[in-house]
Amino acid sequence: MSDTVRRIVAKRVHEPEAIAEAAANRVRAKSPFNDKGRMMIIAADHPARGANAVGGDPLAMADRGDLLERLCLALERPGVTGVLATPDVIDDLLLLGALDGKTVIGSMNRTGLAGSTFEIDDRFACYDAESIERMRFDGGKTLTRICLDDPATPGVLENTAAAVNDLAARRLIAMVEPFVSVWTDGRLQNDLSPEAVIRSITIASALGRTSAYTWLKLPVVADMERVLASSTLPAVLLGGEVKDPDAAFAAWQHALSLPTVQGLVVGRSLLYPHDGDVAKAVDTAVGLV
C-alpha cells in the first residue's frame, strides 16, 4: 500500500469530518476556463459503474492508489481546469489537497451498471444538487441514455430533467451526456451515427424547466458540423477509450474549432495512455484546446 493510500485511510478512519472541512476550505476556481478560454476536465467516474477496463486490462482503473496518482499528475499539468468524478474519488482528492483552484463536477447517476440487464435504468445514487452546492462544487453530470425499446427510458429522462431543474435553481452547471442506445445481443450499445447523436442532442437539450445552465457532453463522431448545429447549448467533447491517439487528437482538434464547443472532458485515454506517459498525453490534449 502506498503512503498516499495510507494517509487517506488514516483520515477516513480517524477524521471522517476532514472531507467536509477540506471542501469548505478549498480554494475554488475563479473560472471553469483556462487562460486560453477553454475547459479541460479529467473524468474519473467510470469505476462507479463497474467499468474498470482500459484496453486489454479489465481492472486497470480498479487500483485506487494508482488511479489517484494518475489523477493528481493530470491535475497538476498546466491548462487542466478540473475533474469530473463520483464522491469516493472526489473525497480522496479533497483529502490530498489536489482540488484547489479546480472546477469540480460531481457525477450524479451511476446505477446503470456496465453490462447489466438494467443498464438503462440509471438512477441518481451519487451526488445530488443539494450536496454539490453544499460541497461548493461547480456542477453535476448526468449520463442520459435514450433507448426507444426499453421502458426505463421515460424514467431516465424524467430524472435527468429533475437534476437539470435542481442544478439550475442553484445556478450550477448541468452537464448532460446523452446517447441514443440500442440493445444488441443482450448488450447495450450507443449509436454513434451522426443522426443518432443529433437526435440525442435535440431530446436532451429540452429537458428541464430551463436550459440556462445546461451543457452537453458529446462524443466526437462523423460530420460534427451538422451534429453540433442541432443545439446552441455549450458543449464539451468526451474522449472515451482511444485506440488510435493520433486520429483521436485530430478529430478533437477539428471539433474544438466549432462554435458551441468549450473544451474537453476526457478520462481513460489521458489517464491510461498507450505509452504510459500521463503527462505527455494530458499536455497534448491541452495543446489542442
Side-chain angles (χ1 to χ4, degrees):
M1 183 184 294
S2 70
D3 288 341
T4 297
V5 172
R6 290 183 188 279
R7 285 191 288 120
I8 291 172
V9 173
K11 284 283 188 180
R12 285 183 173 278
V13 171
H14 300 293
E15 300 177 66
E17 68 280 1
I19 293 170
E21 291 172 359
N25 295 327
R26 182 179 70 91
V27 177
R28 297 188 67 175
K30 295 179 180 179
S31 165
F33 305 109
N34 59 24
D35 57 7
K36 295 181 180 179
R38 293 291 198 172
M39 178 180 280
M40 181 67 215
I41 299 287
I42 306 298
D45 59 347
H46 315 80
R49 292 184 56 247
N52 292 302
V54 180
D57 185 350
L59 295 176
M61 297 191 75
D63 184 326
R64 183 52 55 90
D66 178 62
L67 173 60
L68 290 172
E69 288 177 6
R70 293 169 184 268
L71 276 168
C72 288
L73 176 57
L75 288 167
E76 290 171 354
R77 303 308 299 172
V80 172
T81 61
V83 67
L84 185 163
T86 48
D88 55 328
V89 174
I90 289 179
D91 289 348
D92 285 343
L93 292 171
L94 284 169
L95 290 174
L96 293 173
L99 297 180
D100 280 347
K102 300 299 182 184
T103 294
V104 181
I105 305 293
S107 191
M108 301 177 77
N109 59 322
R110 295 280 90 184
T111 70
L113 302 183
S116 67
T117 59
F118 50 86
E119 195 165 347
I120 281 290
D121 191 5
D122 204 354
R123 303 178 192 184
F124 286 65
C126 287
Y127 283 115
D128 56 19
E130 187 276 331
S131 62
I132 290 169
E133 180 183 45
R134 186 180 68 251
M135 297 289 276
R136 302 169 61 247
F137 298 156
D138 303 281
K141 174 254 185 177
T142 79
L143 176 60
T144 303
R145 288 172 291 191
I146 303 156
C147 184
L148 299 183
D149 58 1
D150 193 309
T153 294
V156 171
L157 298 176
E158 183 179 30
N159 289 336
T160 299
V164 168
N165 291 338
D166 289 345
L167 290 164
R170 294 166 168 82
R171 299 184 179 182
L172 297 169
I173 293 172
M175 188 175 287
V176 180
E177 180 179 357
F179 289 100
V180 169
S181 303
V182 294
W183 286 106
T184 304
D185 297 327
R187 296 190 66 84
L188 191 66
Q189 297 181 333
N190 297 327
D191 185 342
L192 298 180
S193 67
E195 292 74 19
V197 177
I198 288 170
R199 192 175 195 185
S200 76
I201 289 171
T202 59
I203 293 169
S205 296
L207 294 174
R209 292 188 291 264
T210 178
S211 63
Y213 294 91
T214 303
W215 290 40
L216 299 174
K217 181 171 179 274
L218 301 173
V220 177
V221 298
D223 204 359
M224 284 299 284
E225 292 91 344
R226 185 162 62 100
V227 168
L228 290 170
S230 60
S231 175
T232 58
L233 297 186
V236 289
L237 307 176
L238 64 91
E241 189 165 356
V242 171
K243 295 180 180 179
D244 183 343
D246 291 338
F249 288 151
W252 294 349
Q253 188 169 37
H254 171 67
L256 283 160
S257 68
L258 300 173
T260 59
V261 178
Q262 306 302 307
L264 296 172
V265 179
V266 184
R268 288 170 292 182
S269 59
L270 300 185
L271 294 173
Y272 299 87
H274 290 280
D275 63 3
D277 192 336
V278 175
K280 176 184 174 183
V282 173
D283 291 347
T284 301
V286 169
L288 298 177
V289 302

